[in-house]
Amino acid sequence: MSKRRDFIKNTLLGSAGLLALNHLEAASRKKRKPVVISTWNFGLKANEEAWKVLGSSGSALDAIEKGVRLIESDPSERSVGLGGRPDRDGVVTLDACIMDHKGNIGSVAALEKIENPISVARAVMEKTPHVMIVGAGAQQFALQQGFELKNLLTPESEAEWREWLKTSKYKPVINIENHDTIGMVGLDSLGNLGGACTTSGLAWKMHGRVGDSPIIGAGLYVDNEAGAATATGHGEEVIRVVGSFRVVQNMKHGMSPKKACAEAVKEIKKLFVRRGADWSNTQIGFLAINTRGETGAFALRKGFNYAEHDSTGNVLKDAEFLL
Ligand code: SD4
């Protein structure tokens, strides 16, 4: 609210009136219908899990952590958590971040042998004075917090990596098996937004490479006065435009969630052109939700889909795309 409006409000109403107005504002926030959206096909089951919390008036943050943990712990999902494809040295390294409606943030990157990096990120947020811990330090912190070491390289992922080693040719494949990083954002019944993003990153990446997913502003951003957004696809390109923050800023300036995502995708394309870089094998997808619970998505290419769950059900939607 502008200073001028604040002044008029204070002068005309006095403290009793102000109290009533504040109650009104709180009440109108409370009317929000919960909704959660998440990336790719596996978003359907992640949403179901999140809805167990969100549908019973739980917080967006709790719901979202629970939702993405399901995918992290599923060895058949080969791009997140347990069973994620390793880097070129055969090591599974995980990136994740989480953000709440107050602007609290937590993140881990290049974390090894811990199944649920999103919960470690939440512990960074809630139990440390820092916002991001990486590598061996992140693992050490996780162990101190009671997380257990686990081999995350499943026989399937190891076999695929050994096959890749025969040529060792690094060429990321877009829309691998139609699912990838899980990014999830949602609105709870109190009108609060939250979000999480978790991934094993690009398969066969260099050891120590970190993508957009654990970087607040790139892979995820939440602003309770505007909206929340998350990203999937080639992290280097998302970082270059500070993708998720850009989407949220676009919504803050009045764009619908879909338009906000589309403008961020266009910016990525613009920078490809400016750099004269090859973008033939790049995919980027953004997902967004605003404070009214309206949602939208947009991708660089065909093939990006997302799941949306509200009180009427859980559906998979195809995102529109630029090319
Ligand atoms: C990364 N954005 O590490 C992740 C991976 C991903 O579709 O989402 N791929 O760059």
Side-chain angles (χ1 to χ4, degrees):
M1 194 168 287
S2 72
K3 281 190 181 137
R4 187 169 173 287
R5 277 175 71 196
D6 270 346
F7 174 78
I8 294 171
K9 196 168 93 170
N10 293 346
T11 314
L12 292 181
L13 296 174
S15 57
L18 246 186
L19 205 65
L21 232 190
N22 286 342
H23 276 303
L24 260 180
E25 279 171 8
S28 77
R29 273 195 102 75
K30 273 184 191 153
K31 272 195 210 133
R32 295 295 178 224
K33 288 208 174 106
V35 53
V36 65
I37 50 176
S38 54
T39 53
W40 306 110
N41 290 352
F42 54 24
L44 281 174
K45 51 189 177 184
N47 284 359
E48 289 295 343
E49 191 70 2
W51 196 256
K52 290 177 188 167
V53 176
L54 212 55
S56 15
S57 304
S59 79
L61 196 76
D62 289 344
I64 287 166
E65 180 190 5
K66 191 174 165 70
V68 303
R69 275 180 65 104
L70 185 80
I71 308 303
E72 288 180 335
S73 295
D74 185 343
S76 69
E77 299 300 357
R78 310 279 301 288
S79 51
V80 181
L82 175 65
R85 292 182 181 84
D87 62 22
R88 59 185 54 184
D89 297 340
V91 184
V92 181
T93 66
L94 305 178
D95 297 339
C97 74
I98 194 160
M99 184 162 187
D100 75 7
H101 64 287
K102 293 180 179 166
N104 292 310
I105 54 177
S107 160
V108 288
L111 175 61
E112 295 177 26
K113 293 195 168 79
I114 303 286
E115 184 173 318
N116 294 115
I118 199 64
S119 296
V120 185
R122 184 163 181 176
V124 170
M125 175 172 95
E126 292 176 344
K127 298 183 178 162
T128 79
H130 306 305
V131 298
M132 187 173 200
I133 307 185
V134 306
Q139 191 189 75
Q140 187 184 31
F141 169 69
L143 295 178
Q144 285 161 0
Q145 292 299 312
F147 292 84
E148 284 172 10
L149 289 181
K150 185 164 185 169
N151 175 24
L152 303 179
L153 186 64
T154 54
E156 291 77 16
S157 284
E158 183 172 356
E160 220 183 305
W161 168 63
R162 292 200 180 280
E163 192 55 37
W164 174 81
L165 272 183
K166 290 181 186 163
T167 57
S168 301
K169 209 169 148 209
Y170 184 65
K171 194 169 189 207
V173 182
I174 55 173
N175 297 334
I176 300 172
E177 292 169 14
N178 201 25
H179 47 82
D180 226 297
T181 294
I182 183 150
M184 183 184 263
V185 288
L187 179 72
D188 63 29
S189 55
L190 290 180
N192 288 325
L193 293 160
C197 188
T198 175
T199 189
S200 52
L202 296 180
W204 335 136
K205 62 192 175 184
M206 289 175 70
H207 186 62
R209 176 266 188 191
V210 172
D212 60 315
S213 307
I215 298 178
I216 294 291
L220 176 74
Y221 198 71
V222 176
D223 177 342
N224 223 37
E225 292 176 2
T230 188
T232 181
H234 282 187
E236 283 74 2
E237 306 311 323
V238 177
I239 292 171
R240 206 181 304 283
V241 301
V242 200
S244 293
F245 180 72
R246 183 179 290 270
V247 171
V248 171
Q249 285 301 107
N250 288 344
M251 290 191 285
K252 200 162 207 165
H253 295 136
M255 288 184 208
S256 71
K258 186 173 92 179
K259 171 105 172 118
C261 293
E263 289 303 313
V265 169
K266 282 184 200 158
E267 190 65 25
I268 287 175
K269 184 190 156 193
K270 201 197 288 177
L271 292 194
F272 266 113
V273 173
R274 192 176 295 163
R275 285 154 50 232
D278 175 21
W279 49 320
S280 57
N281 206 30
T282 293
Q283 172 65 310
I284 310 286
F286 287 108
L287 261 192
I289 181 169
N290 66 18
T291 53
R292 291 187 294 279
E294 296 159 344
T295 62
F298 204 83
L300 186 63
R301 294 171 193 285
K302 191 171 179 193
F304 175 46
N305 57 10
Y306 65 103
E308 174 162 352
H309 199 323
D310 63 12
S311 55
T312 65
N314 192 16
V315 291
L316 199 61
K317 297 181 172 181
D318 288 323
E320 287 179 35
F321 50 93
L322 187 64
L323 302 177

